[in-house]
Amino acid sequence: MGGLGTLDIVVIVVYLVGIIIYGISKSKRSSSEDYFLGGRTMTWPIVGIALFSANISSSTLVGLASDGFQTNINVYNYEWYAVVILIFFSIFFLPFYLKSGVYTMPEFLQKRYDKRSRYYFSLITIIGNVMVDTAAGLYVGSIVLKLLFPETSSTLIIIILAIAAAAYTIPGGLNSVIQTEVIQAILLIIGSCLLTYFAFEELGGGWQTMMDRLDGMLASGDVNFGDRVVEGKYVPQTADEVFSLVRPNNDEFMPWWGLISGVALLGFYFWANNQFMVQRVLGAKDLNHGRWGALFAGFLKLPVIFIMVVPGVLALLLFNNLDISELNYPLATGGMCENLSDCPNLTYPVLLFQLLPTGVLGLVVAGLLAAMMSSVSATFNSASTLITMDFIREFKPELTSKQLVRSGQIATLVLVVLASAWVPFIEKVSDSLWGYLQLVIAFTSPPVVSAFILGLFWKRANANGAFVSLIVGGIFALFMILSASFDIWPYLNDFHFLAKANILFLISVLIHVIVSLSTGEPAAEKVAEYTYKKELFTSETEELKALPWYQNYRYLAVILLLLTTVIVVWFW
């Protein structure tokens, strides 16, 4: 494999320095609203691009290419389903979030229920930000950069990445984070398009050539993924089956029923309840810009299959038997990788080194850094917002707006240290990092989704029901994680993780309903202000008549849904 040339290194350094300077120049910190929500002045293109950029992290880039290489094209279901979730979010949830004037998602739970639910959700979100989102982003970034700079220690790389992301996040707040995300998203999309272009150039043909070559490889049996081929599990036999988004019940990655239920459940948490994603929409200048921005983010998710998943399939055709033993990349079994089938997580860096010319390689590596920094800075900022607004402000209400900003900056600095320190612990289980991230989200999100959905659509849902369902759901989630890790209950481990998420969601809903009906009715003002009514849809219809069709989010949502249907049906 080749290495970075002088021009590549210059491009990367110029990018890093330039993005930090740009981020600091866009800082807003005169008030807590400026610092944590960018002054609520974001227009729709900024909101949409920031959502997309924060979502496409370094682990996502590496993971999508890896799944494409392993013919798990149905990973794209997580991407296109975001469109459906964002439309639902824009219609029902976003108006309540913006109207309530909240800074955080846990704060909204307090307005609908009480402080108990707020503190619980805030605490687990902060822990998740540090131990899962931020640390995992730093870890994956360090793995890729370790391959690019083999002589540099992993510790030093992690420290540099954390400092680079924090350099503009701490002084600038959300506005700096979002403004840099716009630049990073553009660079990321350009880099992904270039990588796809050079991969097809190397293949020597277009889409049909790829499908024909894939059919030939599958027919000849020249595909071996070791442990992935489990007896009784479905393995695609043709190129058309590889590109089918709906798989049989015995598909190990995503069976058809998981697409209908589990993907929607995880997606709803990620896009509608997750602080580090929703915070970008909370910074919108008004409801329309928030809605347009969310729909724009959904639109940007559609081409992900072409520029981030398909390159993994091309890597299977081009570099399946490539000798990568000189990388000294370890297997979970203690051995070393000999080819990509041994270590599919190396798919993305192999594509970079094998395909891209000098200069372009530096640009795309800068895009990879952009993805990592965008995700890490997003989680830094959202976690510091939670600490400051959900805990410090509540326990120290006398603090001024500027003192809250200072508290947020100190909280971010502490988070940088904690996340960096946690990375080596993740490294010990790096062979299952991607699965670990999926499991954690699948087991922690259902109780939260239950509380939000019942709170908005069921007037009888009360604070006791929400809190008990969150606690009991959290205990069940912890048990599932421990069982998966230590084989406590083997029968439970036979269930697909998406099935476990569905079971946990049903348990949480059932507990919430039983406890709510067994205790007093919620306060009338909570029901009046924070539950959905048919009258809201009717009154909004009159307001939308004053707008041209291209500014009516309902028309835009229908167009986006039709476009999504065309793309998805094509791959089905």
Side-chain angles (χ1 to χ4, degrees):
M1 293 176 66
L4 291 172
T6 303
L7 180 59
D8 297 316
I9 295 174
V10 169
V11 170
I12 294 171
V13 171
V14 169
Y15 165 77
L16 283 174
V17 174
I19 203 69
I20 291 172
I21 294 174
Y22 179 76
I24 294 174
S25 72
K26 295 296 182 179
S27 65
K28 283 188 177 182
R29 54 181 184 269
S30 59
S31 68
S32 57
E33 186 170 77
D34 279 345
Y35 186 78
F36 295 111
L37 294 179
R40 300 187 194 265
T41 59
M42 304 297 173
T43 56
W44 69 266
I46 304 297
V47 172
I49 294 175
L51 280 171
F52 175 80
S53 181
N55 170 235
I56 302 296
S57 63
S58 55
S59 57
T60 303
L61 275 175
V62 172
L64 289 176
S66 171
D67 281 316
F69 177 83
Q70 297 176 83
T71 68
N72 289 329
I73 300 301
N74 49 350
V75 70
Y76 179 61
N77 286 320
Y78 287 107
E79 306 303 309
W80 74 261
Y81 226 114
V83 176
V84 180
I85 300 298
L86 285 168
I87 289 173
F88 186 86
F89 166 73
S90 300
I91 295 174
F92 297 107
F93 276 82
L94 184 57
F96 288 92
Y97 289 165
L98 294 182
K99 180 183 177 182
S100 65
V102 297
Y103 284 80
T104 70
M105 291 297 92
E107 185 181 358
F108 183 80
L109 280 187
Q110 177 184 342
K111 288 181 177 291
R112 177 58 181 90
Y113 297 119
D114 62 12
K115 286 188 176 182
R116 294 175 299 171
S117 296
R118 176 182 185 174
Y119 291 147
Y120 173 81
F121 184 33
S122 186
L123 182 60
I124 64 170
T125 303
I126 293 168
I127 294 173
N129 278 159
V130 174
M131 298 177 64
V132 179
D133 299 319
T134 308
L138 288 173
Y139 171 66
V140 174
S142 70
I143 288 295
V144 175
L145 290 180
K146 181 65 176 177
L147 298 176
L148 301 176
F149 306 102
E151 302 302 320
T152 308
S153 72
S154 297
T155 302
L156 180 59
I157 289 175
I158 292 167
I159 292 173
I160 291 173
L161 291 174
I163 291 175
Y168 58 83
T169 306
I170 292 176
L174 184 65
N175 194 63
S176 290
V177 172
I178 287 183
Q179 294 295 337
T180 53
E181 282 176 344
V182 173
I183 304 297
Q184 291 163 345
I186 294 171
L187 181 59
L188 177 63
I189 292 171
I190 292 173
S192 298
C193 290
L194 287 172
L195 189 62
T196 305
Y197 169 78
F198 282 107
F200 273 114
E201 282 286 299
E202 183 73 15
L203 184 68
W207 188 271
Q208 192 57 50
T209 301
M210 176 185 71
M211 298 294 281
D212 292 340
R213 290 274 297 273
L214 185 58
D215 268 326
M217 177 174 278
L218 292 168
S220 66
D222 192 25
V223 180
N224 178 25
F225 297 112
D227 294 338
R228 194 181 81 93
V229 183
V230 181
E231 185 177 356
K233 297 297 183 181
Y234 170 77
V235 177
Q237 300 297 318
T238 67
D240 286 338
E241 290 182 7
V242 167
F243 277 87
S244 174
L245 299 180
V246 180
R247 299 288 179 88
N249 185 54
N250 61 339
D251 183 78
E252 193 172 26
F253 183 77
M254 188 186 296
W256 63 267
W257 52 263
L259 170 61
I260 296 174
S261 55
V263 174
L265 182 61
L266 303 190
F268 190 86
Y269 170 78
F270 188 82
W271 292 101
N273 305 147
N274 193 339
Q275 175 67 22
F276 95 95
M277 295 304 296
V278 178
Q279 189 169 345
R280 276 136 189 73
V281 192
L282 295 182
K285 65 185 299 184
D286 58 38
L287 178 57
N288 275 328
H289 278 273
R291 280 172 162 162
W292 299 335
L295 296 177
F296 184 43
F299 173 76
L300 292 176
K301 296 289 286 181
L302 293 180
V304 163
I305 189 168
F306 303 109
I307 62 176
M308 295 178 189
V309 181
V310 166
V313 179
L314 295 171
L316 174 64
L317 301 177
L318 298 171
F319 307 121
N320 184 42
N321 298 314
L322 178 70
D323 181 9
I324 58 173
S325 57
E326 70 273 12
L327 291 176
N328 293 321
Y329 193 84
L331 287 161
T333 56
M336 292 292 174
C337 300
E338 294 183 1
N339 52 53
L340 272 183
S341 294
D342 294 329
C343 297
N345 280 337
L346 294 181
T347 301
Y348 193 77
V350 164
L351 284 167
L352 297 184
F353 275 123
Q354 293 295 321
L355 297 177
L356 300 183
T358 300
V360 176
L361 175 60
L363 179 68
V364 179
V365 170
L368 184 63
L369 288 174
M372 189 286 305
M373 292 173 62
S374 178
S375 177
V376 171
S377 63
T379 52
F380 279 156
N381 184 257
S382 65
S384 70
T385 303
L386 290 168
I387 292 172
T388 305
M389 307 311 290
D390 285 346
F391 292 101
I392 296 176
R393 185 179 66 169
E394 289 300 302
F395 296 123
K396 291 272 191 180
E398 72 276 7
L399 292 180
T400 65
S401 188
K402 287 190 176 182
Q403 287 174 323
L404 288 174
V405 170
R406 179 62 63 189
S407 299
Q409 292 172 328
I410 295 172
T412 304
L413 183 60
V414 173
L415 291 170
V416 171
V417 176
L418 291 176
S420 301
W422 187 254
V423 173
F425 293 94
I426 290 182
E427 191 168 12
K428 295 179 181 179
V429 291
S430 62
D431 58 293
S432 60
L433 175 64
W434 190 246
Y436 169 75
L437 293 176
Q438 289 178 319
L439 286 174
V440 171
I441 295 175
F443 295 159
T444 56
S445 61
V448 174
V449 174
S450 168
F452 273 90
I453 290 180
L454 287 177
L456 188 68
F457 294 108
W458 189 41
K459 296 179 181 180
R460 191 62 177 78
N462 67 16
N464 291 324
F467 182 67
V468 174
S469 68
L470 287 171
I471 294 296
V472 175
I475 293 172
F476 269 99
L478 181 61
F479 175 74
M480 287 182 175
I481 293 173
L482 293 175
S483 181
S485 302
F486 301 105
D487 203 23
I488 296 174
W489 190 14
Y491 176 75
L492 180 63
N493 296 339
D494 291 337
F495 284 86
H496 195 281
F497 79 93
L498 290 176
K500 295 177 186 177
N502 290 333
I503 293 171
L504 187 55
F505 177 72
L506 292 176
I507 291 173
S508 300
V509 169
L510 185 62
I511 292 173
H512 195 152
V513 170
I514 292 173
V515 174
S516 292
L517 292 176
S518 303
T519 54
E521 295 186 4
E525 63 272 14
K526 290 183 179 292
V527 174
E529 293 292 327
Y530 303 109
T531 56
Y532 192 82
K533 310 175 198 57
K534 189 187 301 183
E535 293 79 13
L536 294 174
F537 186 87
T538 305
S539 62
E540 189 180 70
T541 301
E542 296 302 318
E543 297 174 8
L544 291 174
K545 287 181 179 179
L547 297 175
W549 71 267
Y550 56 84
Q551 290 184 348
N552 186 324
Y553 81 94
R554 292 180 185 173
Y555 289 126
L556 297 177
V558 170
I559 293 171
L560 181 58
L561 199 57
L562 290 174
L563 182 59
T564 304
T565 303
V566 170
I567 293 177
V568 171
V569 169
W570 180 38
F571 281 101
W572 279 356

